[in-house]
Amino acid sequence: MSFFFLLPDLFSWEKYCLPLSDWNRTWSAANPDLTQCFQNTVLVWLPCLYLWMCAPIYLIYLRSHNRGYICMSNLNKAKTAIGLLLWMICWSNVFYSFWQRHHGISVPAPVHLVSPTILGLTMLLATLLIQYERLKGVQSSGVMLIFWLLALLCATVTFRSKILQALDQPEMVCVWRYTTFYIYYTLLLVAFCLSCLTEQPPLFSQALKDLNPCPEPGASFLSRITFWWVTRMMIMGYKHPLEEKDLWSLNPEDCSQAVVPQIVHHWKTECQKVKRTEKKTLYSPTQIPKSEGKEGQPPEESEILIVKTDRKTKEPSLLWALCLTFGPYFLISCLYKIIHDILMFVGPEILRLLINFVNNSSAPSWQGYFYTALLFICTCVQSLILQKYFHVCFITGMRLRTAVIGAVYRKALVISSAARRTSTVGEIVNLMSVDAQRFMDLITYINMIWSAPLQVVLALYFLWQNLGPSVLAGVAVMVLMVPVNAVIAMKTRTYQVAQMKSKDNRIKLMNEMLNGIKVLKLYAWELAFKDKISEIRESELQVLKKAAYLGAGSTFTWVCAPFLVALSTFGVYVLIDEHNVLDAQKAFVSLALFNILRFPLNMLPMVISSMVQASVSLKRLRVFLSHEELQEDSVEHKAVAGSPYSISIVDGVFSWSRNESPNLKRLNVCIPEGCLVAVVGHVGSGKSSLLSALLGEMDKLEGTVNVKGSVAYVPQQAWIQNSSLKGNIIFGQEWKEAWYQRVVEACALQPDLEILPAGDKTEIGEKGVNLSGGQKQRVSLARAVYCDRAVYLLDDSLSAVDAHVGKHIFDQVIGPQGLLKDKTRVLVTHGLSYLPQVDLILVMVDGEITEMGSYQQLMSREGAFAEFLHTYANIDHTDNSGETQNNSPGFSTVSKLCKEDKKLKAKNSEVGKLTEADKASTGQVKLSVFWAYAKAIGVLLSCISLLLFLTHHLLSLFSNYWLSQWTDDPIVNGTQPSRLMRLGVYGALGLSQGVAVFGYSLFMSIGGILASRCLHESMLYDVLRSPMSFFERTPSGNLVNRFSKEMDTIDSVIPNIIKMFMGSMFGVLGACVIILIATPLVAVIIPALGVLYFFVQRFYVASSRQLKRLESVSRSPIYTHFNETLLGTSVIRAFGEQERFIHESDQRVDHNQKAYYPSIVANRWLAIRLEFVGNCIVSFAALFAVIARESLSPGIVGLSISYALQLTTSLTWLVRMSSDLETNIVAVEKLKEIKCFQELIRLIHLPPGWPTHGCIEIRGFGLRYRPNLDLAIHNITISINGGEKVGIVGRTGAGKSSLTLGLFRIIEGAEGHIIIDGVDIAQLGLHELRSRITIIPQDPVLFSGSLRLNLDPFDSYTDEDVWMALEFSHLKTFVSGLPDKLSHECSEGGENFSVGQRQLLCLARALLRKTKILVLDEATAAVDMETDNLIQSTIRSQFEECTVLTIAHRLNTIMDYTRVLVLDKGEMAEFDSPSNLIAQRGAFYQMAKDAGLV
């Protein structure tokens, strides 16, 4: 009851407790102490208030973030016990007060009842929270640790006070309260220590399953805020270079499968919104009834108009989708930023108090130490919060990159053909590499958009307090600077767009060059393409140069802005009133504030330009993600009840693009189940398009398509993945040994497996580089057969195999008795011999089916088909359209290893390795790399830049020293007499600083551009001069990565980093010099801190550099896989394997982020430790200033501490920049890795028209593909006279293409000689040789660019010559029909021409060059009989005088040749005229017999 009697008293503070504060006792005393009342109220209530405010928010957070359940451990029991004991102690105090009152010993002040009650309830809440955290799986709690720390700090003040009181006034001591307080204090200390420890992981947590989990989730709160958990990796990285196995697994919330679905979901929602608004407008009910008159036309028109206008206004917002995905987590960073920004202004305030303290000699000395301690604590807290802020930002950036790559990859798999043509591979790869990176860079700075203005406002407020209205002069200068920076930013944006455009074009062309490098080498076109790329690069560099001038201008404004602000403010301040004295406090506190101002003012332009770059990237991404997708419903896969048809097309009209005229018209086809259908027709008649329509790859404009069951597709040009041969065939299906063996057998792959070094485990290079054309096609077919689908679409899959292999495959796989006999098969073919065995033939002309029926029906109708057949039937008895399945020139390495020596083939997969993955180099970046960069800039430029840097910093130091002298000027009659002179010199120093800055900025940027030009040129030169084997071994992703990402780093990142590195280095040195001059005592501390700093820095750089390399190495596979996917999208979609490929891509991205994540936390680890070193220097500078305050002038103290305050930032920047410099200079190292494989320039002077006769003499010639392999062909000796026509035939792997490779020196001969017109070709330069002989290769490759460029890249022929060549190659009518004629743009890889048309263009190239020697390498594989005949007749008439070597494709084409060379197992078997060879009844006779020619 007595408690209620107390209540009325509680509300009168006087009765509540003694005076709350006593200034004399606390602030002015030499030995300060707080009043009892303050200790019993404020100090007790503060921790309680904190916990009760945090508890509701924390409970909600815990409820939504359940990490699993932690079993009761000893640690948890101890924490709970301590909490309950504290609760009991508090209640014992309450009961003691009641006991006192009850016994009337003394009436305790109400505070003794209220405070313990509140504290007791708080301790109970803390204990309950500890248990709730355990149930929710919290291993270490920050909320509780801060609570215990706060309680402990408040209790420590009381603890000291109680000891002082016991010593001074023993009679006042209450034994019970003292005893309980000491117990309470001890328990608090224990509770605090326990809360620093970490609990065991929750049950079933990911960390328990993982081999190398990330230590962050299980680390204690203290370890997390100081990044102590990273230390183990740093030590490991210091001891030995980090490897892949040392990297932690990614946290589950950072993985692709957690991040990408979110962004995809939000983006789809955005797109849905836009579609809904469009539909609303489209179907507005007012219009349709009105216009629905007699004709149906008007409403359609009005709808179209409405849609058009609406399209312009409404686009789905990618930005909003990103905000929804990453916003909530990112908001935490805003909170950290606000706290940090406020703490920034504590430094200048403490500086003001310190200068006052030095001026006021009567102030007790403990105040100086108190300020020093306060400065240290504030700077440390500021450091911790800043690093936590950066951590959140970088994690968000990392997730953002994952999301962008994932979204782009998923989109690329569903994009329509028309849209695919608008985005080249280069552009899409850039979206993934460069644009995703831009977003990551922006995230770190984006908060500056609101933080910079906040900092400016706060700084101006404090400046106003200090200098009054004079600040307005400074504000005016700042306001004037804004438009200048804005103009620069806008200009930079335009340059940015232009540069990205050039970069896209360059990467696109580079990509195509790497894809078609063999053709470039065979035609000796490297120089033409090198010039084209250099031209694009030059325009890119011009833009960069303009941007550099702008950059120099903006650096000038940044560096001068704070100085001009200071100058104008001080100038106005001393000039408006002569009694305004500029003393140390005013000058240096203002300077410290101006220094704070410098950061937001510097950052704003950077952030704006970064935002500008990101907005460009955002737009590019939005456009790509908004592209039209394939119609999901264009092909129906449901079984129609009671329908016997497996495939049916009714009134089908199809086009490759909505806005083009239809490519296929009036299609009506019904194919019964299990039927074998052949599709025949001329080149370009729409056969392949028909299959694409069935796959849903074309836009369906009218009609319906139904395909019953699953589909398998074999494209005309086989798509092969960079994986093992077995992996290519199984294609992600489950493994069935017996079925696999049957498939391999049926597809005639058994002999190839015996040849390959590691059997079916042999690694196949990118795009199947080490397989011949026929092998690729058979692997592609085997993949389809193995997958066991209901419907098979085979696009000319027999065109690349020889007669008997073709027959074998038709009989064993496709034909009526083959493995697929019960399946529905649609076979596009030029082979007439199969037609009698098919159930149905579709004849196509100009995108329409003109005739349809069985072989007998079509023959009896005597239409165009029958006529065609009569013409060619005598040619093609059983010789199917298959060519001698053999090795494609140039790229076949593994397939043609020594054939006999089977004993050596230990089929282990190591032997079958081909491509070399990017390897991370280890150890320090060599000085030679820096030297290479400096040389690329130019030594003179480098020296001038350095000199200007030095000048700028010396002037800066001197101007601040001048200011400190000015503030110490004596005051005469309330004014400083020499202030005008001081002001003038100060201004002049500032101006000369600006000039130096402008100079070095300009020189550095220009130097950077010179360097990147030089490095790009030499890399391009090296790559183009590398031999073919280099391209076989090196994945194109690695090279594209060098030309895009690494080049971008050299163009725009390294020059800026060097500028900042130099700036921060001189900044640190300058600050140390000033501090040493002011307080020489610091000299004791600086060396020790310097050593610590050095160790931390070395520790960090060792790990950071290696992590950067690992990250760079794991980046290439993302692009390699992406490139591969883009080339095979139609196959992936046909087989329905999208999910597997998406999973593979996600894994590669996660693998890359696994190396990136440790590198960002390592940065934080470093920054915290370095800032601690910096904070120590600041505190020591302040401490020694306090100790030596008698001998120091306020000006020097101000100068010293204001420099020390900047030092922390400069130190952090210095290490960041030095490590960034080392990690980014790796880009130069990477470019230098591409060794120069130049062939020797042979100095033989060739006569102008060489070869004049075309005589070829081969003497004992042999070659091998790699140094450690056996000879692929050997001991070949033949002599061919000028003008002879020689056919080269032989079974698979006989070495036919190897001979042509030797002739073009794609592979250098190992023995013997080849002599053309008396000149040994080994003595010639490669360019000389290859430009004087011509080949029509097996794979017709076109490059994006005009048709003219594809025929004559050096512009060495007239238009008449080109048209003549087109006429002879039967393309004149086709090209004349094109709108742009010779300027017609070929799309990437020549995709807008059929394969047959591409082959004819290759013929036109040969006709243009008209050299004396022509090699045909299975050049008519992809054309129909009629076109083949045309080509043969053209070759006979146009190359009558020339020596023609033909690798025979259809034997009938070489029956009239002068001689035939028969190869077998790499040796010459027969060499004579066809008639003699048939008479001899040898190998050639057998082949002719197989082909039905004898």
Side-chain angles (χ1 to χ4, degrees), residues 336 339-347 375-388 596 1171 1175 1205 1208-1209:
Y336 287 135
I339 300 171
H340 172 258
D341 285 356
I342 292 165
L343 283 175
M344 276 174 79
F345 291 95
V346 174
L375 186 62
F376 182 67
I377 291 166
C378 283
T379 47
C380 284
V381 172
Q382 190 182 333
S383 298
L384 291 176
I385 285 186
L386 181 65
Q387 298 320 317
K388 206 68 194 142
I596 290 179
E1171 293 207 359
N1175 297 341
L1205 281 172
T1208 311
T1209 319

Side-chain angles (χ1 to χ4, degrees), residues 250 255-258 260-261 402 405-407 409-410 1118 1121 1139-1153:
L250 267 188
C255 291
S256 296
Q257 64 207 52
V260 185
T402 301
I405 294 180
Y409 188 88
R410 284 157 174 75
I1118 299 176
H1121 179 248
E1139 280 309 311
R1140 184 164 66 85
F1141 276 80
I1142 286 172
H1143 180 64
E1144 169 69 15
S1145 170
D1146 284 354
Q1147 273 188 319
R1148 290 184 183 216
V1149 174
D1150 287 349
H1151 187 67
N1152 176 237
Q1153 301 289 34

Side-chain angles (χ1 to χ4, degrees), residues 348-397:
E349 275 306 292
I350 295 176
L351 174 64
R352 186 171 64 81
L353 296 168
L354 267 170
I355 292 175
N356 278 348
F357 169 76
V358 172
N359 274 338
N360 177 9
S361 52
S362 64
S365 56
W366 70 266
Q367 288 182 7
Y369 299 120
F370 172 70
Y371 292 144
T372 306
L374 194 61
L375 186 62
F376 182 67
I377 291 166
C378 283
T379 47
C380 284
V381 172
Q382 190 182 333
S383 298
L384 291 176
I385 285 186
L386 181 65
Q387 298 320 317
K388 206 68 194 142
Y389 160 72
F390 275 131
H391 185 58
V392 173
C393 287
F394 276 108
I395 296 290
T396 311

Side-chain angles (χ1 to χ4, degrees), residues 180-202:
T180 52
F181 178 77
Y182 291 142
I183 296 171
Y184 166 76
Y185 186 73
T186 311
L187 289 173
L188 272 185
L189 199 58
V190 174
F192 174 68
C193 293
L194 289 178
S195 68
C196 294
L197 302 175
T198 179
E199 284 279 3
Q200 62 199 43

Side-chain angles (χ1 to χ4, degrees), residues 563-575:
F563 183 82
L564 286 173
V565 170
L567 180 68
S568 53
T569 308
F570 292 154
V572 170
Y573 181 73
V574 296
L575 294 174

